[in-house]
Amino acid sequence: MAKLLLYLTLATSLIPLFSVAFSPENPTDRRVLVLVDDFAIKSSHSLYFGSLTSRGFQLEFKLADDPNIGLQRYGQYLYDALVLFCPSVERFGGSIDVASIVDFVDSGHDLIVAADSNASDLIREVATECGVDFDEDPAAMVIDHINYAVSNFDGDHTLIASDDFIKADVILGSKKIEAPVLFQGIGHSLNPANSLVLKVLSASSSAYSANPKSKLSNPPSLTGSAISLVSVVQARNNARILITGSLSMFSNRFFRSGVQKAGSSIKHEKSGNEQFLTEISKWVFHERGHLKAVNVRHHKVGESDEPAIYRINDDLEYSVEIYEWSGTSWEPYVSDDVQVQFYMMSPYVLKTLSTDQKGHYSAEFKVPDVYGVFQFKVEYQRLGYTSLSLSKQIPVRPYRHNEYERFLPAAYPYYGSAFSMMAGFFIFTIVHLYSK
Amino acid sequence: MYQRERERERERDYREEMARSTGKDAQALFHSLRSAYAATPTTLKIIDLYMGFAVFTALIQVVYMAIVGSFPFNSFLSGVLSCVGTAILAVCLRIQVNKDNKEFKDLPPERAFADFVLCNLVLHLVIMNFLG
């Protein structure tokens, strides 16, 4: 009986080791919850979901108002990422609501939100919480009379072909997307003061957001390239969010269709949707652009152990190792613009770290002539990469009284005068005592 | 007219006489000082010579600092203060050893000299410490 209990506890304690999930050592998300309006989306968007499962993701499909859904149970999150393909949901079922989605993102998990022309207020609220504002008019769609996609049945130019991509290889992959991306849905705008949101696919300058079925009575509020079709947000805790106004952009129909931009004679056999969305979901799920910095070390030049305190005008060396997650393993990150600051209220020293191309970065510099408590700070924020914010505190002391320079040539007259006074005193005493 | 000319002549004569008498007074003063000094005992003259050497060395250092700048300021202070301190102690010895000084009539000169030596020892200890 006791042996049975022992084996049982051993077996259950080993189960957590076999679960491969999101962790700092393995940052790619694994378990993804996909909320849909109806299960027809599972088949009409099967190419996109297939690309995710082929990269090893475990997708779980649930209806958005299913009363049994929940993001966490007993304080632990059940999923590593959330995909909201439910633009018309009025109220989420189970324990999910806008606040729980925001908490999910705040705890470092990723999110994909796809709205559409019938987007509910709930989805718009989720997008606003993430920093993106959809057009307030519920019937508005993005219309472009100059850059629309030529097709046989769409006469109101809401199906647009856009190739105004953000220039970031880390988000969109190194291979150029040749064909334009088909889009049909609502547009959103970003707050220009927000530095965390990026426009990945923006509308051309001839686009505007309006109701295609009614006549325009006032000029539209959202126009031109201020309209963003696809945006990403990288939060300060490195959670990544993808927000787009067209669910049909992910559909098999758009993936497979050819595209020809109005006014151009080039007809592409396949639209750029599949490549664009596959690459961008690689970025959103942390398969690319995820950095970690380990092994921060500093020591005096010539020594190897870390001292607890430095002296002013010491020569020291600082080194750090930065790796990038490639989807399966940690590769060395190679860049020439990582900088370290020696900081006390303001940076006294700012030096670019040199790399040995294998992920090891180091810099040598002289401690400034100021004493106090300093920090070694590395603040690295680049577009599309996780932000690195390292800080290590170290005190710096002034010279001890026997560490100052001695026997300065400039002071020889003074030394000479002091010794001559002593000699003079000696001679004077002899003369004074022995003269009559 | 002639009256004013005569007044001016008288003024000029008066001024010449004053100048001559001031010149003569200064010379007389200088002579009296030299003769009075010649009468001081040799011991005191030796102390005066020692003091002059100390002040002269201090002046050289100040001129040097004015040219070169005060970089090792502690060394400058130490050098100048050694000269100044030596001069002050020499002055104190001179006061105490001078037989004409009524205040220190009962102080034996050996005691004054012993104080002088001890104070100089302390002075040079401090100077060496501060010289850097």
Side-chain angles (χ1 to χ4, degrees):
Chain A
M1 189 58 191
K3 268 201 188 165
L4 186 67
L5 271 174
L6 183 68
Y7 288 146
L8 215 62
T9 42
L10 270 176
T12 47
S13 62
L14 285 175
I15 285 174
L17 283 176
F18 294 130
S19 69
V20 180
F22 177 88
S23 69
E25 276 312 303
N26 186 348
T28 306
D29 307 326
R30 288 275 154 250
R31 306 163 300 175
V32 183
L33 173 64
V34 184
L35 295 181
V36 295
D37 277 336
D38 62 77
F39 285 115
I41 293 182
K42 212 168 145 180
S43 48
S44 68
H45 292 59
S46 61
L47 282 176
Y48 179 68
F49 294 129
S51 74
L52 288 181
T53 40
S54 70
R55 294 205 308 267
F57 292 99
Q58 298 158 15
L59 303 175
E60 219 176 285
F61 292 88
K62 290 268 162 67
L63 283 179
D65 43 15
D66 186 339
N68 295 326
I69 50 176
L71 285 173
Q72 50 172 332
R73 193 191 302 149
Y74 309 130
Q76 283 206 323
Y77 282 106
L78 300 166
Y79 304 100
D80 303 322
L82 178 62
V83 176
L84 295 177
F85 275 2
C86 44
S88 60
V89 65
E90 293 295 333
R91 203 167 62 89
F92 287 114
S95 62
I96 298 186
D97 59 352
V98 177
S100 72
I101 293 179
V102 170
D103 283 340
F104 185 68
V105 172
D106 278 347
S107 63
H109 299 94
D110 306 320
L111 176 65
I112 295 184
V113 180
D116 214 338
S117 49
N118 53 351
S120 66
D121 283 338
L122 187 58
I123 291 290
R124 286 169 199 267
E125 204 184 319
V126 171
T128 312
E129 288 288 337
C130 299
V132 146
D133 295 310
F134 282 110
D135 194 359
E136 280 167 1
D137 185 355
M141 290 176 74
V142 181
I143 302 174
D144 194 338
H145 293 300
I146 297 181
N147 287 320
Y148 59 94
V150 169
S151 79
N152 298 329
F153 23 81
D154 199 32
D156 53 5
H157 300 162
T158 53
L159 179 67
I160 53 184
S162 171
D163 50 8
D164 201 352
F165 302 111
I166 191 178
K167 289 180 186 36
D169 275 354
V170 67
I171 300 180
L172 292 178
S174 44
K175 201 156 127 310
K176 185 166 141 51
I177 303 176
E178 299 292 342
V181 170
L182 289 170
F183 180 93
Q184 185 171 32
I186 58 181
H188 54 267
S189 65
L190 312 174
N191 187 350
N194 192 342
S195 58
L196 303 171
V197 195
L198 298 168
K199 242 195 299 194
V200 176
L201 183 68
S202 67
S204 69
S205 40
S206 53
Y208 62 97
S209 175
N211 188 348
K213 292 184 181 51
S214 70
K215 218 164 105 145
L216 271 183
S217 48
N218 322 320
S221 49
L222 272 183
T223 56
S225 46
I227 300 181
S228 173
L229 305 175
V230 178
S231 310
V232 295
V233 181
Q234 175 158 280
R236 288 196 180 92
N237 61 354
N238 296 324
R240 290 172 175 174
I241 306 173
L242 171 72
I243 300 179
T244 171
S246 166
L247 179 54
S248 36
M249 203 170 62
F250 294 84
S251 65
N252 293 355
R253 188 165 66 91
F254 279 32
F255 273 27
R256 289 198 188 111
S257 99
V259 60
Q260 179 183 9
K261 239 172 134 170
S264 120
S265 57
I266 310 170
K267 188 165 161 51
H268 301 268
E269 282 303 311
K270 197 162 138 70
S271 69
N273 287 41
E274 184 165 9
Q275 183 186 356
F276 175 71
L277 291 172
T278 311
E279 294 295 325
I280 207 176
S281 34
K282 275 189 197 163
W283 183 83
V284 169
F285 292 136
H286 288 271
E287 285 175 63
R288 200 167 44 215
H290 187 95
L291 301 175
K292 79 168 175 181
V294 290
N295 227 346
V296 169
R297 283 170 53 241
H298 59 88
H299 55 91
K300 270 196 222 166
V301 170
E303 298 174 18
S304 64
D305 51 344
E306 247 180 50
I309 188 169
Y310 282 109
R311 195 204 68 201
I312 58 175
N313 296 331
D314 260 346
D315 288 309
L316 63 80
E317 189 180 323
Y318 175 86
S319 71
V320 67
E321 287 171 22
I322 304 182
Y323 295 102
E324 187 182 354
W325 180 248
S326 69
T328 46
S329 62
W330 291 102
E331 303 293 320
Y333 175 66
V334 176
S335 157
D336 58 355
D337 58 357
V338 187
Q339 290 180 321
V340 64
Q341 302 174 9
F342 201 54
Y343 175 95
M344 173 167 74
M345 312 286 272
S346 70
Y348 282 81
V349 175
L350 181 67
K351 214 141 160 57
T352 309
L353 297 167
S354 58
T355 173
D356 68 344
Q357 311 292 333
K358 289 198 198 53
H360 182 91
Y361 291 82
S362 65
E364 261 183 45
F365 56 90
K366 204 177 175 65
V367 175
D369 202 4
V370 180
Y371 58 89
V373 178
F374 284 85
Q375 289 173 320
F376 289 107
K377 267 186 151 179
V378 173
E379 299 278 339
Y380 190 69
Q381 276 131 14
R382 294 286 175 271
L383 192 125
Y385 287 101
T386 56
S387 53
L388 292 178
S389 189
L390 312 168
S391 156
K392 201 157 191 185
Q393 198 170 333
I394 188 79
V396 169
R397 66 169 174 84
Y399 282 119
R400 288 204 194 95
H401 80 285
N402 60 353
E403 284 175 344
Y404 288 98
E405 295 167 337
R406 300 183 78 186
F407 308 121
L408 300 155
Y412 281 174
Y414 309 124
Y415 304 153
S417 87
F419 287 113
S420 79
M421 282 298 121
M422 286 166 75
F425 160 67
F426 189 66
I427 295 170
F428 167 75
T429 54
I430 295 173
V431 167
H432 187 263
L433 286 175
Y434 294 109
S435 74
K436 295 287 174 272
Chain B
M1 260 190 324
Y2 289 125
Q3 267 190 332
R4 261 186 246 129
E5 254 195 53
R6 256 180 268 141
E7 273 179 27
R8 265 183 252 133
E9 249 192 66
R10 252 182 261 145
E11 272 186 47
R12 236 181 284 131
D13 287 340
Y14 178 67
R15 265 188 256 124
E16 277 179 27
E17 215 186 291
M18 287 308 291
R20 258 183 266 128
S21 67
T22 338
K24 272 194 240 149
D25 282 341
Q27 274 193 351
L29 186 65
F30 191 58
H31 279 305
S32 70
L33 275 175
R34 274 185 81 176
S35 52
Y37 189 68
T40 61
T42 323
T43 322
L44 299 180
K45 279 200 205 153
I46 292 174
I47 297 180
D48 289 338
L49 191 63
Y50 177 58
M51 205 170 17
F53 157 68
V55 172
F56 174 65
T57 317
L59 281 174
I60 292 181
Q61 284 175 85
V62 171
V63 168
Y64 175 76
M65 188 211 82
I67 296 172
V68 168
S70 66
F71 163 52
F73 196 57
N74 57 317
S75 308
F76 164 69
L77 284 180
S78 173
V80 168
L81 282 180
S82 78
C83 301
V84 169
T86 307
I88 291 171
L89 290 175
V91 163
C92 295
L93 180 67
R94 191 185 200 275
I95 290 173
Q96 289 179 345
V97 160
N98 196 353
K99 292 185 197 53
D100 298 333
N101 204 337
K102 284 182 262 325
E103 195 182 342
F104 289 102
K105 204 157 43 110
D106 295 324
L107 186 74
E110 290 81 12
R111 161 77 198 277
F113 182 69
D115 284 341
F116 170 73
V117 167
L118 284 173
C119 290
N120 258 311
L121 281 176
V122 172
L123 174 74
H124 285 108
L125 183 75
V126 171
I127 293 300
M128 280 298 117
N129 226 332
F130 200 54
L131 201 52

